[in-house]
Every structure is written in C-alpha cells, then in structure tokens.
Amino acid sequence: MPNDHLPDHPLRYALVNELHARPFPVLRAPCMAAYVAIKEPVSAHNRDRGADRAHLLNLLDRHGSAHPQPGATHFSGPIGRAELKWESHTEFVTYSAFTPGLSARPFDPFEAEVFPADWVAQAPGKRLVSVLIRVEQMPATRAEALARLDEWFVAESLALSEVVDGAAIIAGDFRIDAGGHMRFAVFVREGVGERRIGRIVQRLCEVETYRATAMLGLSRARDLSTRLNALDPRLSALVAALDTRDRSPEALLEDLLDISAELEALSARFTFRFGATAAYEAIVNQRVSVMREERIDGRQTFGEFMMRRFDPAMRTVKSTEARLKAMTERAARAAELLRTRVDVERSAQNQRLLESMDRRADLALRLQHTVEGLSVVAISYYAVSLAAYAAYPLGKAVGLSKEMLTATLVLPVIAGVWLMVRRIKQAMH
C-alpha cells in the first residue's frame, strides 16, 4: 500500500506543531524588551485559563490588534510600536514586548509601561517576574562596556559573561529596582544575526522566570521543615517506646496512625511543588549552559552566580523532600513493627485462651463421664422397678417373694443399661 494512503495518528500534526509552537523572537539592536510573568499564588496549574485569555484580549483591544485562535497557548502580534509575544504555561503566563530603539535613560521605568499599570493590576494572578532587557551594540572597547555595567548594576552581585562564541556580552545583578523590575543588559557585536539576538534575549527571560518559579519551592520547603521539626521528636519517641511496656500497643498504634496520616497529607500537599521545582531547576541550568559562557576579566559568570546563590536553595528543597520521604518510610516501618508486636501478643493471648478452653473441655468430659454414671444408675432404678412389676406374677408362681425377685433383677438390668449407653456412645463417635 502506498505511504500516502496510510491513515495518520490523530495527534501526529498536533505533536509536530508543538515543536514549532514557541519560536524565538527576531530582534535588531538597539532595542528594548519588557517581560512579565503572571502566576496564581495557589493551584496555578488548575487556574481558569479563560481568564488568562480574557486578560490578553483586553491588552490587544487597547491597541486594536488581532485576536489569537480559541484555545491557543501562544500568540505574537503588534501592540503599537512593540511586538507582543504571549505564552501560556502550566503554572503561569508570560508577556514579552519588544520595542525598537532605546530610551536616553538606561532602564527607564517608562519602558515597562507598554504593559499599563491598570491592566497589570487586573491580571488573574500576581506578578512573579518583571524584567527589562536593554539590547545595544557592543561599545568600542571592553573597558567602556564594563564601565557602563558597573554604573548600571550592583557590583557585589553583578554576573556577566561573553556568550554564544563571543556574539554578545550579557550582564545582570538579579536585583529588583525601585520600579519593581529586574534588569539585564545585552551588548551585541556587529554582524550578529537578528534571530541569534532573539534567542539570547529569550533565554535571559527564561532563566529569570524558571529561577523565580523554582525558588517558590524554597519557601514551601521552609514551611515543611517547621512541621517536620515538630513531628520528628514525636516519631522518634514513639519508635523508642516500642521496646518498652509502658504503653499499650493499641495506644502506640493510634498515635502512630496520627503521625502517618499527617506525613501522608504533607506529602500530597508538597509533592507537586517539589516536582515542579526540580523541573524548573533543570531548565535554568540547561538555559545557562546553552549560552556557552566565557569569563570576562575574572568577573563571575551567570553559572557561577547560580552555583553560589541558586544551587544552595535547590539543595535545601531536595534535602527537605528527602527528609519527608525518610520520615514517611520510618513511620511505615514503625507501624509494621508495632503490628508485628500486636500480632505476637494476640497470638500469645489466643494460645492461653486455647489452653483454657482445653482445660474446660477436659473438665466437661469428666463431668460428662460422671453424669453418664449417674444416668446408668437412674435408668437402672426405673428399669428394675418396671421389670419387677413385669416379672412379679412369674416370681409368685415359683415362690419368690417380691423383694427377692427385685434383688435378682438388679444386676442384669444394670448390666443391660450400661451396655446400651456404651453402645449409643460408640455409635455417636
């Protein structure tokens, strides 16, 4: 059968199109980029995405721009002089506005007003990231470039490097300025392509966005550590009590179930955030690595900055996650040991109960034998009386008195009754 007659998988085109869903911007130096990431503080992955779309349409309508397709997760289009790029992610939405030319004042807060303050205030979420990126041609000398960067940024936390095989110099101090924006500078060499410039700017935005979202796990880890610090002594004391007889196993098991339930609730509450933090951390490290940094005059690179400031936070998150997992496993092992102890004690109780039942059965058997003996006597008594009445005419005929006749019948009747009871007993068993 020819290949063009083969039916396509229903998701074939959708999956291929996803590879090209978020192209890099095409930028020409000099230009300015304003970038905003908006996130719901709670349950952002379950947010109302229709509200995100409505917020985007509000901005587009202010400029009379075209609307995206229904259900779209990304959009590009003009808003005034700027080119807008909108993307919807799992936990947040991002807005990028690229404007040609530069303001006379570096990082002028006016440049962020491409996103009006009243429009930002109406966002279905909170501003997580706000970035201004200044892209300009490389100064004539490296000393001049470094002088500008030292003037614009805080020297103590300034990170800068030459990236993408010397195509550009990037710099930033990862501090929020008085206008509420984080600032980055990009000096581009002559002849660098517009798409390469767009990739550099896009990666800077992504580094800051995923760094911020990853750091959300740190605050959660601190909250979790406080709760684990309260649970750990309780769990340790309970495990130590397994070797003593001060408390009943039932009471210990009840306390252990309370601790285990709380640990499981904490695990369910924090698992998503810790998993997202690990994913975002990997993206940050990957975005930094693909820029192929080269050190400039002994200054710290973005990679070194992340290693000193970002990695310790991520290690804290990982250690807290590992601690929660270890405590959950400890509680499970303690529960298993306690169940074993309870089972052993119950087995001993059952053994004692069975021994008691055996003794009672033995006593009952002895009592039964006694009753059987009394039953033979009682039955024989009535049987002798009846037999005496039946044999009295015969005894009178042969000259036996009533008393002699009765005495003669006693032994045979008792023997017959005894044999009858024994036969019945044998038949039953």
Side-chain angles (χ1 to χ4, degrees):
M1 180 184 293
N3 288 338
D4 56 356
H5 291 164
L6 287 175
D8 286 327
H9 189 281
L11 296 178
R12 180 190 178 198
Y13 285 96
L15 295 176
V16 171
N17 292 335
E18 187 65 24
L19 298 175
H20 311 283
R22 295 178 172 86
F24 289 106
V26 179
L27 303 178
R28 178 182 299 175
C31 65
M32 195 70 196
Y35 176 87
V36 177
I38 298 173
K39 179 184 180 300
E40 288 280 4
V42 180
S43 299
H45 55 290
N46 292 324
R47 69 186 185 278
D48 180 8
R49 298 179 186 270
D52 295 338
R53 176 181 171 84
H55 193 231
L56 169 64
L57 298 185
N58 186 344
L59 179 62
L60 295 176
D61 290 341
R62 296 187 182 207
H63 299 275
S65 301
H67 290 184
Q69 294 293 325
T73 59
H74 60 94
F75 170 78
S76 296
I79 52 171
R81 293 181 59 246
E83 183 73 16
L84 175 69
K85 181 180 180 183
W86 172 82
E87 295 182 353
S88 177
H89 298 264
T90 301
E91 289 194 274
F92 54 87
V93 293
T94 61
Y95 293 84
S96 306
F98 308 103
T99 308
L102 295 173
S103 60
R105 176 188 174 189
F107 302 105
D108 192 327
F110 177 78
E111 295 170 331
E113 293 185 7
V114 66
F115 302 124
D118 63 322
W119 174 82
V120 175
Q122 297 170 3
K126 303 298 181 182
R127 182 175 63 175
L128 179 65
V129 176
S130 182
V131 174
L132 294 178
I133 302 178
R134 184 180 178 89
V135 182
E136 59 180 80
Q137 293 292 343
M138 184 77 70
T141 64
R142 178 167 292 182
E144 182 182 351
L146 295 179
R148 293 188 192 180
L149 297 178
D150 290 336
E151 178 184 352
W152 295 344
F153 301 106
V154 177
E156 187 274 333
S157 56
L158 175 61
L160 66 96
S161 59
E162 201 170 46
V163 296
V164 196
D165 304 323
I169 291 177
I170 60 172
D173 58 7
F174 292 93
R175 292 179 180 270
I176 299 175
D177 64 14
H181 313 294
M182 191 168 289
R183 302 175 300 169
F184 294 99
V186 179
F187 293 143
V188 182
R189 293 193 182 280
E190 188 71 28
V192 175
E194 298 175 356
R195 296 185 182 277
R196 174 166 284 190
I197 297 174
R199 288 196 295 271
I200 294 172
V201 171
Q202 180 69 28
R203 283 164 181 162
L204 283 175
C205 295
E206 291 175 348
V207 165
E208 173 53 22
T209 301
Y210 291 113
R211 180 208 61 80
T213 49
M215 292 289 286
L216 292 175
L218 179 61
S219 62
R220 296 292 186 88
R222 288 170 175 168
D223 294 341
L224 178 59
S225 293
T226 301
R227 190 63 200 134
L228 294 181
N229 289 339
L231 287 176
D232 203 353
R234 289 179 54 193
L235 180 58
S236 298
L238 192 148
V239 172
L242 294 178
D243 293 337
T244 67
R245 303 292 177 176
D246 297 337
R247 300 180 61 190
S248 66
E250 290 77 10
L252 290 174
L253 186 58
E254 184 176 353
D255 290 347
L256 184 57
L257 289 177
D258 291 340
I259 296 175
S260 298
E262 186 162 358
L263 288 173
E264 288 297 332
L266 291 173
S267 179
R269 178 182 172 188
F270 290 96
T271 294
F272 175 83
R273 175 49 50 202
F274 288 159
T277 295
Y280 295 144
E281 178 197 7
I283 294 176
V284 170
N285 294 330
Q286 190 269 343
R287 295 297 189 269
V288 172
S289 66
V290 297
M291 290 193 290
R292 303 192 297 278
E293 294 185 283
E294 296 179 11
R295 188 186 304 278
I296 297 178
D297 293 349
R299 304 289 189 99
Q300 72 172 345
T301 64
F302 277 63
E304 289 176 336
F305 179 90
M306 293 298 173
M307 181 179 66
R308 292 181 58 243
R309 311 291 181 91
F310 177 68
D311 288 354
M314 297 300 98
R315 286 195 292 270
T316 298
V317 174
K318 292 175 182 176
S319 66
T320 305
E321 182 181 14
R323 184 185 179 192
L324 174 60
K325 181 179 179 181
M327 287 185 62
T328 303
E329 292 176 350
R330 281 174 56 198
R333 290 194 298 269
E336 189 65 27
L337 290 173
L338 191 53
R339 291 190 192 97
T340 302
R341 174 180 165 183
V342 171
D343 291 343
V344 170
E345 292 188 358
R346 287 182 177 175
S347 297
Q349 292 177 355
N350 292 338
Q351 184 66 29
R352 292 192 296 269
L353 179 60
L354 291 174
E355 291 175 355
S356 175
M357 292 176 63
D358 287 342
R359 290 193 299 269
R360 292 180 181 179
D362 185 61
L363 292 175
L365 183 60
R366 294 180 182 180
L367 180 61
Q368 180 182 355
H369 290 322
T370 303
V371 171
E372 288 177 359
L374 295 175
S375 299
V376 171
V377 173
I379 295 172
S380 299
Y381 173 79
Y382 289 105
V384 168
S385 298
L386 292 175
Y389 281 113
Y392 181 72
L394 181 61
K396 188 176 182 179
V398 295
L400 291 175
S401 65
K402 181 177 181 180
E403 292 77 6
M404 183 59 69
L405 179 62
T406 302
T408 304
L409 293 173
V410 168
L411 292 178
V413 169
I414 290 176
V417 170
W418 180 79
L419 290 173
M420 179 188 67
V421 171
R422 182 179 180 184
R423 193 168 187 178
I424 294 173
K425 183 178 179 181
Q426 289 176 347
M428 291 180 64
H429 291 285

